[in-house]
């Protein structure tokens, strides 16, 4: 995995919660960009908007983009005066932002990405040998969420799993690294999926259900220690060979990596049998922001480039399947057999996150 570290390190974002990624400022080169769109985006889309081909495609349609990154839920605390759009990683934070900024009408959702768990080959082999996962291709498998949550609830360690002794890096408590659920979309959606499975296939909706689920969610988070605010950082650590052997990321990040490095031998992609699709949802704050949002979903070239960066365009599964036909040993072209967990309301999701990090409750 260390061989491919440079690919992800190339998109390292500098500075706290919000870091600037400016795309397409050189109007003299493009000659066509006339509208500058300033936006705040989830960090997993930074590489997409910084791609020179994306910059060129946007300029051809008359747009220059200035993008800053933030955790999706952290966008609520930002002063968005002067911005043209906000682009969090799922519908829940987007809906909250739209209400806060009095944005009316349907919110554009140009593409989506399911949450997956990336695993080192040794970790995936041990999980499969202990009934916590199945492997259906050389570098692809399924994580059995109910079995994993049961192991987490009982504080299982790697040493308690048969076969783990063959891998020196597998020690200590078994857990999946995720992002801070109070600021990051992927971390919050992890809790949504976990609470749905723990609740017997029922979305958490009441105070009593929050109370019942909170101890498990607290275990899932507390065992990790300090958490990152964006998936770019946890994925970068994984690719560099550092950190935990199981990490929750977006499928798009994996697909984009494989586009550059198709032989990541130590990488296994585990699709949770119950997961949550992250619908990347735009909150247009100005007419220019609305125009750009619509373009992302309708322009064939931008859709093609989104697929190249691993995103699944809305409305046409064939686009993603065709573009990833050479990566089927890692990626599911169609999400057959993967159950989509409904996401709780934003208020409930916030409360689940608060309880998971140790705030509120008893």
């Amino acid at each position: 995995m260390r061989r491919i570290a440079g690919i992800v390190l190339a998109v390292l974002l500098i500075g706290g919660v919000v870091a600037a990624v400016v795309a397409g400022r050189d109007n003299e080169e493009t000659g066509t960009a006339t509208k500058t769109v300033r936006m705040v985006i989830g960090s997993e889309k930074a590489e997409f908007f910084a791609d020179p081909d994306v910059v060129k495609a946007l300029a051809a349609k008359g747009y220059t983009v200035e993008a800053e990154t933030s955790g999706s839920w952290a966008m609520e605390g930002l002063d968005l005066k002067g911005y043209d759009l906000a682009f969090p990683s799922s519908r829940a934070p987007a809906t909250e932002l739209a209400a806060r900024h009095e944005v009316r009408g349907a919110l554009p959702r140009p593409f989506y990405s399911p949450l997956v768990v990336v695993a080192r080959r040794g970790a995936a082999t041990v999980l499969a040998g202990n009934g916590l996962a199945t492997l259906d291709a050389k570098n692809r498998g399924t994580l059995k969420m109910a079995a994993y949550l049961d192991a987490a609830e009982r504080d299982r360690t790697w040493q308690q799993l048969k076969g783990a002794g063959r891998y020196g890096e597998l020690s200590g408590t078994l857990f999946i690294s995720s992002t801070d659920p109070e600021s990051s979309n992927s971390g919050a959606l992890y809790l949504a999926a976990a609470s749905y499975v723990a609740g017997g296939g029922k979305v958490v909706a009441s105070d009593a259900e929050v109370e019942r689920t909170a101890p498990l969610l607290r275990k899932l988070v507390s065992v990790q220690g300090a958490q990152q605010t964006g998936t770019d950082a946890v994925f970068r650590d994984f690719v560099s060979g550092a950190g935990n052997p199981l990490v929750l990321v977006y499928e798009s990040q994996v697909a984009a990596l494989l586009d550059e490095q198709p032989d990541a031998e130590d990488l296994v992609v585990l699709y949770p049998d119950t997961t949550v699709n992250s619908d990347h949802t735009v909150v247009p704050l100005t007419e220019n922001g609305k125009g750009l949002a619509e373009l992302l979903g309708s322009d064939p070239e931008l859709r093609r480039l989104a697929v190249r960066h691993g995103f699944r365009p809305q409305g046409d599964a064939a686009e993603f399947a065709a573009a990833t036909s050479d990566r089927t040993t890692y990626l599911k072209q169609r999400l057959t057999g993967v159950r989509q967990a409904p996401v709780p309301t934003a208020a409930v999701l916030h409360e689940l996150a608060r309880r998971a990090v140790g705030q509120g409750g008893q």
Side-chain angles (χ1 to χ4, degrees), residues 22-37:
V22 179
R25 279 189 165 178
D26 192 349
N27 291 350
E28 291 182 2
E29 281 191 17
T30 64
T32 58
T34 58
K35 304 170 188 173
T36 297
V37 175

Side-chain angles (χ1 to χ4, degrees), residues 119-152:
R120 307 209 189 286
R121 179 173 297 282
T125 300
V126 171
L127 291 179
N130 287 269
L132 300 176
T134 59
L135 299 178
D136 48 50
K138 183 179 179 183
N139 299 88
R140 188 190 72 222
T142 300
L143 178 70
K144 297 182 178 180
M145 278 291 284
Y148 165 71
L149 293 176
D150 178 68

Side-chain angles (χ1 to χ4, degrees), residues 202-267:
K202 184 178 185 296
V203 65
V204 174
S206 67
D207 291 342
E209 289 164 347
V210 170
E211 185 71 27
R212 185 165 57 249
T213 310
L216 171 61
L217 303 187
R218 175 60 180 154
K219 278 194 173 186
L220 297 179
V221 170
S222 63
V223 70
Q224 300 182 46
Q227 293 177 290
Q228 302 278 6
T229 58
T231 54
D232 64 310
V234 292
F235 188 51
R236 185 172 64 247
D237 287 346
F238 178 86
V239 170
S240 72
N244 196 42
L246 300 173
V247 178
L248 185 82
V249 299
Y250 295 107
E251 180 196 54
S252 58
Q253 294 171 290
V254 182
L257 174 67
L258 294 172
D259 186 60
E260 299 289 339
Q261 180 66 44
D263 59 347
E265 287 298 312
D266 195 38
L267 171 67

Side-chain angles (χ1 to χ4, degrees), residues 220-349:
L220 297 179
V221 170
S222 63
V223 70
Q224 300 182 46
Q227 293 177 290
Q228 302 278 6
T229 58
T231 54
D232 64 310
V234 292
F235 188 51
R236 185 172 64 247
D237 287 346
F238 178 86
V239 170
S240 72
N244 196 42
L246 300 173
V247 178
L248 185 82
V249 299
Y250 295 107
E251 180 196 54
S252 58
Q253 294 171 290
V254 182
L257 174 67
L258 294 172
D259 186 60
E260 299 289 339
Q261 180 66 44
D263 59 347
E265 287 298 312
D266 195 38
L267 171 67
V268 177
V269 184
L270 298 176
Y271 287 78
D273 56 15
T274 301
T275 189
V276 178
N277 278 351
S278 183
D279 287 315
H280 295 269
T281 306
V282 183
V283 182
L285 302 172
T286 67
E287 284 302 311
N288 281 348
K290 183 178 180 181
L292 178 60
E294 293 172 350
L295 194 64
L296 289 171
S298 63
D299 181 73
E301 177 64 4
L302 287 169
R303 286 173 68 94
R304 183 187 71 80
L305 291 168
V307 171
R308 191 172 81 183
H309 283 269
F311 299 108
R312 294 176 181 251
Q314 297 285 0
D316 191 350
E319 285 182 77
F320 184 84
T324 58
S325 60
D326 60 338
R327 287 168 269 173
T328 55
T329 59
Y330 296 90
L331 305 174
K332 284 181 177 285
Q333 291 188 300
R334 299 181 184 275
L335 299 176
T336 306
V338 177
R339 187 178 188 182
Q340 295 299 316
V343 178
T345 65
V348 171
L349 200 54

Side-chain angles (χ1 to χ4, degrees), residues 114-193:
L115 288 169
V116 299
V117 174
V118 289
R120 307 209 189 286
R121 179 173 297 282
T125 300
V126 171
L127 291 179
N130 287 269
L132 300 176
T134 59
L135 299 178
D136 48 50
K138 183 179 179 183
N139 299 88
R140 188 190 72 222
T142 300
L143 178 70
K144 297 182 178 180
M145 278 291 284
Y148 165 71
L149 293 176
D150 178 68
E153 194 160 32
R154 292 190 288 132
D155 301 314
R156 295 290 295 276
T157 65
W158 284 107
Q159 291 92 326
Q160 292 172 326
L161 302 181
K162 63 182 181 181
R166 295 197 297 269
Y167 305 96
E169 72 273 19
L170 301 181
S171 63
T173 304
L174 168 68
F175 69 92
I176 295 170
S177 290
S178 60
T179 53
D180 176 5
E182 288 200 297
S183 61
S184 171
N185 176 68
S186 60
L189 293 185
Y190 177 41
L191 301 185

